[in-house]
């Protein structure tokens, strides 16, 4: 992704409506995100739980905690704890005491959790992106990076 891109120049005023074209694109992006999860898995995993499974598949041992997941998801520890509890109940995660901090647990994917990630609904999105020409992938990456930066600055 291009790191040289600047932040969007327009700042939404309080109460101002975005342009119609931007509203249409926002709706399309929202529908695309929803379409990733349109087919419920046999395990009935919710989108946030899929994100948690992906996180624990990549997280280093020291980061495999409730707080690590919370930071990754951009939420407080409450929602992260609930996602972890649901994944544990369904046999996707195991927990063990953190030897570095007796107050926390370290989480890891079970074999069932690892196998479930083979059917990750985000693979459908990745395959759709892979089907785009390289130039379109680059433009998409640049555009999504700008949108993300704009949202992260809380300017909207």
């Amino acid at each position: 992704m291009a790191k040289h891109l600047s932040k969007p120049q327009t700042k939404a005023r309080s109460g101002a409506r975005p342009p119609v074209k931007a509203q249409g694109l926002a709706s399309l992006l929202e529908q695309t995100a929803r379409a990733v999860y349109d087919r419920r898995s046999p395990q009935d995993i919710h989108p946030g739980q899929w994100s948690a499974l992906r996180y624990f598949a990549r997280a280093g041992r020291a980061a495999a905690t409730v707080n690590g997941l919370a930071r990754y998801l951009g939420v407080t520890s409450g929602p992260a704890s609930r996602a972890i509890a649901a994944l544990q109940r369904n046999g996707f995660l195991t927990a063990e005491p953190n030897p570095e901090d007796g107050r926390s647990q370290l989480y890891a994917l079970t074999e069932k959790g690892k196998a479930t990630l083979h059917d990750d609904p985000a693979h459908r999105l990745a395959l759709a992106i892979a089907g785009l020409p390289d130039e379109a992938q680059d433009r998409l990456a640049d555009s999504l990076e700008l949108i993300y930066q704009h949202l992260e600055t809380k300017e909207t």
Side-chain angles (χ1 to χ4, degrees):
M1 285 186 235
K3 297 293 180 191
H4 65 278
L5 299 173
S6 61
K7 291 182 194 165
Q9 298 299 312
T10 58
K11 184 175 179 179
R13 290 168 289 157
S14 180
R17 290 186 54 88
V20 172
K21 183 176 181 180
Q23 287 178 325
L25 289 170
S27 178
L28 181 58
L29 186 57
E30 180 183 31
Q31 290 171 358
T32 301
R34 257 187 282 160
V36 171
Y37 300 100
D38 71 342
R39 297 182 191 135
R40 292 300 234 188
S41 66
Q43 296 86 7
D44 206 23
I45 300 171
H46 300 282
Q49 293 168 354
W50 276 111
S51 293
L53 279 178
R54 288 183 212 111
Y55 173 78
F56 287 114
R58 294 186 305 261
R61 183 169 163 79
T65 63
V66 169
N67 288 334
L69 177 62
R71 277 190 299 278
Y72 173 76
L73 294 177
V75 298
T76 61
S77 61
S81 292
R82 286 189 292 279
I84 288 170
L87 293 171
Q88 281 186 285
R89 268 193 314 275
N90 290 309
F92 299 114
L93 286 179
T94 61
E96 65 179 56
N98 186 344
E100 303 295 318
D101 174 6
R103 299 169 294 155
S104 66
Q105 300 277 316
L106 295 175
Y107 298 94
L109 293 178
T110 62
E111 289 306 315
K112 180 180 178 181
K114 291 174 189 174
T116 299
L117 278 172
H118 292 292
D119 296 322
D120 186 343
H123 292 168
R124 291 178 54 227
L125 179 60
L127 289 171
I129 293 169
L132 298 173
D134 287 343
E135 302 80 29
Q137 289 183 43
D138 292 341
R139 286 192 310 273
L140 178 62
D142 291 345
S143 296
L144 289 174
E145 182 177 314
L146 282 171
I147 292 167
Y148 181 77
Q149 288 173 3
H150 186 73
L151 293 172
E152 281 296 296
T153 61
K154 310 281 192 249
E155 291 181 1
T156 57

